[in-house]
Amino acid sequence: MTSRESRNLSVRLYQWLVSFLPDDFDADLRRDTIETFVDIRRAARRRGRFASLRVTVGSLWHGAGAVLAERREANHALRATSSISAEVCTVEHHPRRNTTPGDLMDSLRHDLQTALRAFRHRPGFALASVVIMALGIAAATTLFSVVDDVLLQPLPYPDSERIVYFDEGSHPIPLFEIWHDDMASVEDLAAAFTRYQVLTGEQEPARIQTARLRGDFFELFGAKPAKGRLLQAQDFDERARVAVISHRLWRTRWGSDEGLLGQTISVDGEDFTVVGVMAPDFQMPEAVDEEIEIWMPLDPGPEMAHSWNYYVLEVVGRLAEGVTLSAAQDEVRAIDLRVAEEHPEERNDREGNPQLTPLVGLHEATVFGSTERLWVLLGAGFAVLLVGCANVAGLSLARGQERLRDLAVREALGAGKLRLARQLLIESVLLSLAGGAAGIALAQAGVKGFLALQPGDLPRLHEVSLDPRVLTLALLATVACGLLCGTAPALQAARSDLERVLRSDTSGTAGRDRRSGRPLFVIFEVALSLMLLTGAGLLAHSLLLQYRQPAGIDTERLVRIPLQLPENTIGGAEEDLAGRIAQRTNRLIESLEALPEVDSAAVTWAAPFTYFGRGRCCWRTVFAAEPDTDDKPRSMVHPVTAGFLGTLGADLLVGRDLDERDGELEPPPLIVNRHMAGELLSEFGLPGSAEDAQALASLLGRQVLRGSDEEAMQIVGVVDHIYEWGPTEETEPVSYVSYERFGGEIGLASVVVRIRTNLQANLVERLRQAIWQVDPRIPVPVVESMDERRRDAFAEPRFYSVILALFAGVSLLLAAAGLYATLHYTVTRRRCEMGIRMALGARHREVVRLVLRQGFGWLVAGLALGWVFTAISARVLQSQLFGVGVTDPWTVGTVSLVLLLSGLAACWIPARSAARVDPVKTLRAD
Amino acid sequence: MSPNAEELLPMSPRDYLILLGLSAGPSHGYGLIGEIESLSEGATSMDPANLYRAIKRLKRDGLVEDLGRRGVEATGGTDVDTRRRYYGLTEAGRGAVAAESLRLERLTRVARERLLVPSAEGTR
């Protein structure tokens, strides 16, 4: 059996089944049985899915029969008797005798048979219960499976709970060196500089993610090579030009060629010798970057190695034995404070506060941001399960009332009340188990659907599956639900005066409803549904507000092409690389703008709605009004080519866009966003706020001093905020400078193109050709419409809203159905009373009102309880909401109204039927 | 246990098929399931649990023996799959399958005499 097969659900089920065989079925036989099952299943798989399913189901079914038969034989052998219990009647023969375990088995079997007969008698009830339970179990199991694997299971690394992550994005290399040399509480400090690079060679150029490593990165994460070796200490010390490639890259690009080891590959024009292939199952920690294809030793240029302004390294380490996270955090803090004192310019922020690095567990860093969202969804899943339980419990109670007469007969024949209660519990658990089995099957589809539909930003998704832990929990939940649903009817049966039932002519007694607890279930269902509906409503409302939020740019007919200019293939000597990149960029723009469909094109490092991980795109620096001031506003800086803001359709508040002259203009021009303008206003001591156009205009023409060199720049424009990450981000200071001057030696580029037509396939191809005309070695992986990109930014909140709405919808349906069933049942039982009322002259309307009033009462009670639930639970939603409070009266009011109306509609049908009672017929029938 | 073959007659059709399947040589569970299917021309298909239930009983009755994982090497078999456990017929098992076959043959002869089935010659 392969390990994949051993993880397979049906194999697990079969193993579980085989484990019930009695002890004289020895380990060898059991193993053989399972192996043979795997064999025939594998053979059937080759014939197709259906054959495989047939064999699986058949084997499980016959296997269950075999298990029962074996157990029975073993039991008989144990008792050394061969008595055959002749059971001809459904009623127990020796109900009150002291029972032996064998009798217990027999009587249990008997209860099972009775239960099955009862289900056959009323298939509608059984089917409804199974379907409802299946929905609830599936909802809860699916989400628990996700939550368990994402949030609860440890990461797949040795001692993973001791691995820590240095948060706040990337860190400069000198800082890492200080941590590395000085820290005692964190061992195995390692770092990775990850980015996109271009792999060239015989095949077409590929844009891939690489990691330049420092420290024992691989040891920390327990990585093993599949071929050759991994990087060693010597490689790091000597900055050797060696590389380890991912198994996937090895397979897809080199067809798993064994001869690749020792060969040279070219990354951004630099040659590296391949020394190893990573094991296929190695997972890069997602907090660092997961899709790495090539690992190489870190080899920064002298500038980057000593600069405090290149935030490039992701840093991880392992807590030393016995050191707590907070102790390690204290040490990091102490070092950071010391460094800030030594390098005040670089390590202090505008207010003079030192930059401190939070230390978090790797697990926390990995799941960051998903935790609350997933718990909310899991809570909603369990709420659906509870609504389902309440629903089935309500159904069972109604059914229990109907069966009182049947139970009374059995009691008269000698069955004890406990025995009858047990019978009801068994029925309930059986139904629940059937529902659970269907629910687990549904959950398997649910997990697959969740993985397929989720927008891709949840961490650790490749680890999510229906594992034994989850199945165990699903099974426990199933049995618990069965007991929960069965308790009420069992208590009812135990409490009832069954003799009276038998003596009375009517099938029960009027007025029992109040004690039966049925309305309580309905009230509970309504309350939970209100809670779910409110949650879904709030998320939907928040989503709507996000859609309406302006992005700061015009995304219609705007195209983005992420590019990577192969750094060292630009040709020529090392010096003036920046100049050549700028030249190449200009030629790109010219080539694109030569297309008749293109209105304008511009280049930047990272266009809006481009998720570039933790700020790796960014360059931050300070701007001062006067030399030698301490209080300098700090801003993100985007080098952009001429006409960038115009191409984006950004809202230029005052001044002008950057243009072609700016490459030579002295001092270099600067455009700031509204937020930065606000900071500069106070920096210059100017009156007015950033909302005031006149105040903004007063900034134009002023000079600011950039960075520690205090290079003068002139403000030429103020632009409104452009959303870089998504619609819900908070604004921050941003400045735009000339790409030609400040693009630097970074070949990272995002081309934005404003087109005149829609983005059709042939235009995509022409855009690609235009780029390749400049340099055929530039990889052009995607040409994407910014409209889509913007929609993607909503994909995640939309996905969660849809799931919650789905749950809320199911629970609303269940609550309405529960209300209908309960009221219908009451009406049926009060048929006689209605008949009398109508015989005494009551009008139809009055009867309808009478019934509706009862349903309305339950609904209002449910809503009241629901508001309490909502008030308690809504707080967890707070962080998921944008622009709407958790107690938003519009949302709460609307969903309450929806629930009330659906509830009344559900009550209307039984009320109408009550009013149609023909008094003569009814009274005669009784 | 060395049972008297006659005592075990008549045999259940499944037991008979299992023993007949093993009469060609030792086999593992998966091979046996295929053999039974082909012997019964697809009419009988056994699931693993019931197969091993029967094997357990036949072992207890001394008709089948467990040859272990490398059992077939001793018998000179080829295509040995060491992952699987092999089972073979004991002498008693051989006797039992022969006795049951004779019994069935006698019955078939009676049926044939009563013209319920065409004679073996007739089908040729």
Side-chain angles (χ1 to χ4, degrees):
Chain A
M1 188 170 15
T2 64
S3 64
R4 211 181 122 223
E5 275 168 340
S6 68
R7 278 201 307 272
N8 183 285
L9 181 70
S10 57
V11 174
R12 279 174 183 286
L13 266 175
Y14 201 77
Q15 284 169 335
W16 180 73
L17 180 73
V18 164
S19 71
F20 284 95
L21 282 164
D23 290 342
D24 63 335
F25 213 90
D26 61 34
D28 278 344
L29 281 170
R30 281 166 198 237
R31 203 163 37 234
D32 286 355
T33 309
I34 292 162
E35 280 293 349
T36 306
F37 169 70
V38 171
D39 285 338
I40 62 169
R41 195 176 154 274
R42 191 185 300 141
R45 268 197 91 87
R46 275 182 232 122
R47 298 201 304 273
R49 262 177 180 273
F50 184 68
S52 159
L53 186 73
R54 213 184 49 200
V55 163
T56 304
V57 172
S59 298
L60 284 170
W61 175 254
H62 291 297
V67 167
L68 283 178
E70 275 292 309
R71 289 198 73 92
R72 200 164 48 224
E73 274 176 24
N75 261 337
H76 279 236
L78 200 70
R79 283 192 282 162
T81 57
S82 57
S83 67
I84 301 158
S85 53
E87 290 185 85
V88 285
C89 176
T90 62
V91 179
E92 298 75 9
H93 289 127
H94 316 287
R96 284 178 183 149
R97 203 186 62 184
N98 286 339
T99 49
T100 67
D103 286 339
L104 194 66
M105 279 301 285
D106 274 348
S107 69
L108 270 179
R109 203 187 63 214
H110 191 108
D111 283 352
L112 285 179
Q113 284 169 348
T114 313
L116 288 177
R117 203 174 309 120
F119 298 153
R120 266 203 302 277
H121 186 58
R122 289 290 301 271
F125 161 74
L127 193 69
S129 307
V130 169
V131 167
I132 293 167
M133 288 310 279
L135 283 177
I137 294 277
T141 308
T142 302
L143 285 164
F144 182 72
S145 178
V146 174
V147 166
D148 184 46
D149 286 326
V150 174
L151 298 184
L152 304 181
Q153 298 281 9
L155 291 166
Y157 306 118
D159 269 345
S160 65
E161 62 283 1
R162 274 170 56 206
I163 302 180
V164 289
Y165 176 76
F166 288 68
D167 210 352
E168 292 285 89
S170 313
H171 307 281
I173 292 176
L175 184 60
F176 168 75
E177 298 295 350
I178 292 172
W179 284 333
H180 185 266
D181 296 342
D182 294 1
M183 281 198 73
S185 53
V186 179
E187 307 169 332
D188 300 342
L189 214 63
F193 170 27
T194 68
R195 58 179 167 160
Y196 281 99
Q197 289 192 289
V198 180
L199 180 63
T200 48
E202 285 161 21
Q203 297 99 322
E204 68 178 59
R207 183 170 176 266
I208 53 161
Q209 269 195 292
T210 64
R212 308 297 290 257
L213 303 181
R214 185 142 176 87
D216 293 332
F217 194 88
F218 288 135
E219 198 162 315
L220 188 62
F221 294 106
K224 297 269 181 303
K227 303 275 171 220
R229 63 171 178 88
L230 297 180
L231 304 179
Q232 301 160 346
Q234 206 184 351
D235 298 330
F236 297 116
D237 297 344
E238 295 173 357
R239 298 180 170 183
R241 304 209 149 237
V242 292
V244 172
I245 64 170
S246 75
H247 201 269
R248 181 180 42 197
L249 190 66
W250 183 53
R251 219 175 44 234
T252 53
R253 197 167 169 96
W254 285 285
S256 305
D257 177 13
E258 301 271 351
L260 185 68
L261 293 189
Q263 299 276 319
T264 308
I265 58 171
S266 173
V267 179
D268 270 357
E270 271 185 275
D271 287 344
F272 293 87
T273 308
V274 177
V275 294
V277 176
M278 182 62 77
D281 56 355
F282 175 67
Q283 290 164 14
M284 271 295 274
E286 283 174 64
V288 177
D289 224 320
E290 54 182 325
E291 312 251 312
I292 299 297
E293 306 284 13
I294 304 183
W295 294 266
M296 297 159 290
L298 182 68
D299 180 17
E303 193 196 342
M304 192 191 278
H306 298 110
S307 167
W308 289 85
N309 285 324
Y310 284 95
Y311 287 76
V312 289
L313 292 185
E314 306 279 332
V315 182
V316 282
R318 188 192 308 279
L319 290 179
E321 199 77 57
V323 173
T324 62
L325 185 64
S326 70
Q329 174 73 76
D330 289 345
E331 194 185 3
V332 173
R333 189 186 156 80
I335 293 178
D336 280 352
L337 285 175
R338 198 188 74 211
V339 170
E341 228 162 77
E342 289 163 5
H343 304 271
E345 197 64 30
E346 291 90 357
R347 298 300 296 172
N348 284 333
D349 71 4
R350 188 178 167 219
E351 283 81 27
N353 299 317
Q355 280 190 44
L356 297 175
T357 312
L359 203 59
V360 293
L362 186 66
H363 185 269
E364 194 194 325
T366 306
V367 302
F368 170 78
S370 321
T371 318
E372 281 177 332
R373 214 189 287 150
L374 285 178
W375 283 120
V376 166
L377 286 189
L378 180 65
F382 273 101
V384 172
L385 180 59
L386 277 180
V387 172
C389 271
N391 212 305
V392 173
L395 280 178
S396 312
L397 264 183
R399 176 110 179 83
Q401 290 265 321
E402 282 170 23
R403 290 190 60 197
L404 279 181
R405 185 187 276 275
D406 165 40
L407 296 175
V409 172
R410 289 183 60 184
E411 196 192 23
L413 286 171
K417 274 214 163 127
L418 269 180
R419 181 69 199 278
L420 294 180
R422 191 181 77 184
Q423 169 75 44
L424 289 172
L425 270 182
I426 283 182
E427 282 178 24
S428 168
V429 170
L430 260 188
L431 283 179
S432 177
L433 280 176
I440 286 171
L442 211 60
Q444 193 143 29
V447 168
K448 273 197 188 125
F450 188 94
L451 294 185
L453 296 178
Q454 75 86 29
D457 30 25
L458 263 183
R460 304 186 68 190
L461 281 179
H462 47 267
E463 295 173 43
V464 172
S465 67
L466 274 187
D467 51 37
R469 262 166 72 107
V470 177
L471 289 181
T472 313
L473 186 103
L475 196 71
L476 283 179
T478 301
V479 173
C481 289
L483 291 176
L484 213 65
C485 299
T487 306
L491 280 177
Q492 172 186 263
R495 223 170 37 196
S496 302
D497 184 352
L498 292 173
E499 273 181 54
R500 224 182 74 196
V501 173
L502 207 56
R503 273 203 307 274
S504 88
D505 276 334
T506 55
S507 60
T509 44
R512 187 165 291 243
D513 276 331
R514 221 164 291 130
R515 278 201 293 140
S516 73
R518 273 171 68 73
L520 279 185
F521 288 121
V522 173
I523 290 167
F524 185 63
E525 283 169 50
V526 170
L528 277 178
S529 300
L530 180 75
M531 186 181 93
L532 284 172
L533 279 172
T534 308
L538 286 173
L539 279 186
H541 193 166
S542 147
L543 191 62
L544 202 70
L545 291 178
Q546 288 181 41
Y547 275 129
R548 289 204 194 132
Q549 181 79 7
I553 59 172
D554 178 11
T555 54
E556 204 181 336
R557 296 202 304 277
L558 188 62
V559 173
R560 168 183 170 270
I561 310 169
L563 287 187
Q564 183 83 30
L565 306 177
E567 273 172 35
N568 299 5
T569 56
I570 293 168
E574 279 287 312
E575 64 264 19
D576 200 30
L577 179 61
R580 282 198 311 279
I581 288 181
Q583 226 175 18
R584 180 67 53 96
T585 310
N586 282 337
R587 279 179 53 205
L588 263 178
I589 294 171
E590 278 165 26
S591 178
L592 285 166
E593 283 184 341
L595 292 177
E597 296 93 336
V598 172
D599 197 34
S600 65
V603 167
T604 176
W605 281 356
F609 298 115
T610 318
Y611 293 83
F612 250 89
R614 279 172 207 82
R616 213 160 293 134
C617 60
C618 309
W619 166 29
R620 280 190 169 80
T621 190
V622 289
F623 290 93
E626 291 163 36
D628 297 326
T629 43
D630 292 333
D631 194 28
K632 302 173 185 171
R634 196 177 176 82
S635 161
M636 168 122 83
V637 185
H638 283 316
V640 298
T641 59
F644 172 77
L645 296 172
T647 302
L648 281 189
D651 193 1
L652 203 58
L653 300 169
V654 291
R656 66 167 177 91
D657 198 350
L658 290 173
D659 61 33
E660 277 79 13
R661 297 164 301 164
D662 293 338
E664 267 89 57
L665 210 64
E666 285 303 334
L670 174 74
I671 294 178
V672 295
N673 75 343
R674 200 196 278 271
H675 195 133
M676 182 66 182
E679 307 240 328
L680 285 176
L681 280 175
S682 64
E683 174 77 6
F684 280 108
L686 292 169
S689 76
E691 302 305 314
D692 171 12
Q694 232 168 359
L696 293 179
S698 69
L699 281 174
L700 296 181
R702 288 184 184 266
Q703 291 200 1
V704 289
L705 306 171
R706 178 182 67 88
S708 45
D709 311 342
E710 306 202 320
E711 184 195 353
M713 296 191 81
Q714 186 167 38
I715 301 170
V716 298
V718 179
V719 68
D720 210 351
H721 192 79
I722 295 174
Y723 287 84
E724 301 280 339
W725 313 97
T728 57
E729 73 179 10
E730 292 187 5
T731 62
E732 66 167 325
V734 180
S735 309
Y736 300 89
V737 298
S738 160
Y739 192 91
E740 223 166 304
R741 287 193 175 175
F742 300 97
E745 304 182 1
I746 295 181
L748 186 70
S750 218
V751 183
V752 285
V753 185
R754 173 72 61 188
I755 51 174
R756 296 199 168 97
T757 58
N758 288 330
L759 185 64
Q760 285 136 356
N762 64 345
L763 181 53
V764 169
E765 202 42 47
R766 284 157 60 88
L767 289 170
R768 279 209 164 105
Q769 291 300 338
I771 291 169
W772 284 333
Q773 258 173 23
V774 178
D775 186 345
R777 287 171 301 185
I778 301 175
V780 188
V782 282
V783 174
E784 54 194 10
S785 116
M786 285 290 260
D787 245 356
E788 267 170 40
R789 204 62 214 195
R790 178 160 186 246
R791 270 199 295 275
D792 285 351
F794 296 109
E796 192 197 330
R798 193 172 51 216
F799 175 67
Y800 294 108
S801 305
V802 165
I803 292 194
L804 209 56
L806 196 73
F807 285 180
V810 167
S811 113
L812 176 66
L813 264 180
L814 287 180
L819 204 59
Y820 163 77
T822 308
L823 211 54
H824 176 79
Y825 171 75
T826 315
V827 167
T828 317
R829 285 171 44 73
R830 287 172 69 184
R831 200 167 261 276
C832 177
E833 178 200 335
M834 304 286 176
I836 292 170
R837 277 175 191 267
M838 289 178 72
L840 292 176
R843 276 174 300 179
H844 284 215
R845 231 186 22 219
E846 283 163 350
V847 173
V848 168
R849 203 182 296 146
L850 188 75
V851 177
L852 279 185
R853 200 160 53 209
Q854 186 169 30
F856 187 75
W858 295 343
L859 264 173
V860 168
L863 287 180
L865 185 63
W867 286 324
V868 175
F869 283 0
T870 307
I872 295 168
S873 66
R875 230 163 295 151
V876 298
L877 265 184
Q878 186 77 69
S879 64
Q880 313 292 312
L881 297 180
F882 170 77
V884 49
V886 285
T887 50
D888 179 49
W890 279 105
T891 312
V892 175
T894 311
V895 298
S896 301
L897 196 66
V898 166
L899 193 54
L900 195 67
L901 291 180
S902 337
L904 283 179
C907 297
W908 178 250
I909 308 166
R912 279 274 302 271
S913 84
R916 288 221 190 89
V917 166
D918 180 342
V920 181
K921 256 193 212 159
T922 319
L923 293 177
R924 196 176 289 149
D926 277 321
Chain B
M1 204 191 299
S2 68
N4 183 348
E6 301 293 328
E7 269 176 27
L8 297 164
L9 302 188
M11 230 177 244
S12 87
R14 284 189 170 194
D15 289 357
Y16 180 63
L17 282 172
I18 291 172
L19 293 178
L20 197 60
L22 288 176
S23 65
S27 179
H28 46 68
Y30 175 59
L32 203 48
I33 286 178
E35 182 72 16
I36 288 169
E37 252 182 39
S38 85
L39 278 176
S40 65
E41 290 165 1
T44 304
S45 70
M46 288 207 71
D47 67 287
N50 278 303
L51 175 72
Y52 282 99
R53 236 190 117 215
I55 287 181
K56 178 189 142 207
R57 195 162 27 74
L58 293 169
K59 247 171 73 182
R60 191 193 59 204
D61 291 345
L63 302 183
V64 164
E65 62 183 336
D66 184 348
L67 299 173
R69 281 178 197 268
R70 298 183 163 274
V72 186
E73 283 166 21
T75 63
T78 53
D79 191 23
V80 176
D81 188 341
T82 53
R83 197 168 50 78
R84 300 181 173 122
R85 180 177 298 275
Y86 282 74
Y87 295 91
L89 278 188
T90 61
E91 274 313 305
R94 227 166 265 287
V97 92
E100 175 71 0
S101 301
L102 284 174
R103 186 184 73 83
L104 289 175
E105 198 183 3
R106 276 200 299 277
L107 291 177
T108 314
R109 204 163 48 225
V110 172
R112 207 170 275 147
E113 279 161 9
R114 295 179 186 172
L115 297 177
L116 288 174
V117 278
S119 69
E121 288 76 25
T123 57
R124 263 188 213 141

